[in-house]
Amino acid sequence: MLQEQFDSNVAEKVKHRLADLRAASSVSDVVLGSLKEIANTQGEKLSIDLCDGYQIIFQANHIELPLSADGKVDWSVVTRIKVLNIKKESG
């Protein structure tokens, strides 16, 4: 399915990044792919770089979001995510 939507290089990176996320104890433990907060989401959505300008967009998938003292998602304790999109970065 990934090969139908993306070239083989991007599809392979998606598989690797999803495996990295699955293997991590929390999202904060992922060291590859440059995690970035998505603008205007108050820290509730992150992206992780793939290759060729593509990124995975995801959010925490907990019934009760783990929040830090400042009210943002505490990604160091997020153990479940929902992938929202895989897309080419704009800009």
Side-chain angles (χ1 to χ4, degrees), residues 9-83:
N9 193 32
V10 174
E12 196 62 28
K13 286 290 185 184
V14 169
K15 288 192 278 188
H16 286 271
R17 289 297 165 261
L18 291 176
D20 292 342
L21 287 163
R22 192 175 303 116
S25 298
S26 76
V27 172
S28 313
D29 292 340
V30 177
V31 294
L32 299 173
S34 182
L35 286 170
K36 293 182 267 186
E37 187 177 308
I38 301 294
N40 303 316
T41 66
Q42 290 74 44
E44 292 184 6
K45 294 179 185 172
L46 295 181
S47 70
I48 190 167
D49 292 337
L50 297 169
C51 63
D52 301 332
Y54 282 87
Q55 59 185 187
I56 298 173
I57 310 294
F58 60 94
Q59 67 186 25
N61 190 21
H62 290 253
I63 292 171
E64 291 187 35
L65 286 178
L67 301 176
S68 61
D70 64 359
K72 287 189 169 189
V73 174
D74 185 351
W75 288 98
S76 68
V77 295
V78 169
T79 57
R80 295 176 50 95
I81 64 165
K82 178 179 181 180
V83 173

